[in-house]
Amino acid sequence: MINISLENSLLLAQAAPAGGQGGILGSPMMLPILMIVVMYFVIFRPQQKRMKEHRLLIAGVKVGDHVIMEGGEHGIITSVKDRTAMVKIADNVKVEYERSKIAAVTKKSEVVEATEA
């Protein structure tokens, strides 16, 4: 009799489902999918937003804008072509840059001219 009850308890213990497999994530494939979704919102989406803003900045450049180039040079746009822009960086010094190398466009009110100071 003891053998039968012992065998029954062993069979019941083996038939019970494992508790950790259902869990919060459901299937084992949910973790990689969740990681990809998080990476998209943390890394890729903000980068795409910055690239879009930079394209709009470059497209909106016009003559007379004060710009800061990627190398740190400050200047004023004197002419704009399809792919390039002529930038005046000092008196009688104009340099032609690729438009994609414009890092920022500053407002004219932010730049203090040497004659005003």
Side-chain angles (χ1 to χ4, degrees):
M1 187 65 130
I2 295 175
N3 280 342
I4 295 173
S5 65
L6 182 61
E7 287 178 15
N8 286 339
S9 65
L10 287 174
L11 288 175
L12 288 174
Q14 290 176 354
Q21 291 182 359
I24 296 173
L25 297 177
S27 71
M29 288 300 294
M30 286 302 291
L31 184 60
I33 292 171
L34 182 63
M35 287 174 53
I36 290 170
V37 169
V38 168
M39 282 179 51
Y40 173 77
F41 283 105
V42 171
I43 297 172
F44 299 123
R45 192 164 183 225
Q47 178 64 26
Q48 289 175 347
K49 185 178 177 183
R50 282 191 296 269
M51 287 173 56
K52 182 179 178 182
E53 289 174 356
H54 189 253
R55 280 194 302 266
L56 291 173
L57 174 99
I58 290 171
V61 169
K62 58 188 179 301
V63 175
D65 284 346
H66 293 265
V67 294
I68 301 172
M69 306 307 290
E70 284 184 0
E73 298 90 3
H74 292 248
I76 300 171
I77 300 288
T78 58
S79 69
V80 178
K81 298 178 186 173
D82 287 340
R83 295 185 56 204
T84 62
M86 191 67 72
V87 180
K88 178 181 174 184
I89 56 174
D91 291 334
N92 299 324
V93 179
K94 294 180 182 176
V95 181
E96 190 170 13
Y97 286 101
E98 290 288 324
R99 288 176 70 171
S100 62
K101 298 303 176 188
I102 296 172
V105 177
T106 59
K107 296 179 184 175
K108 292 182 181 181
S109 61
E110 292 178 358
V111 179
V112 178
E113 295 292 332
T115 57
E116 294 177 6

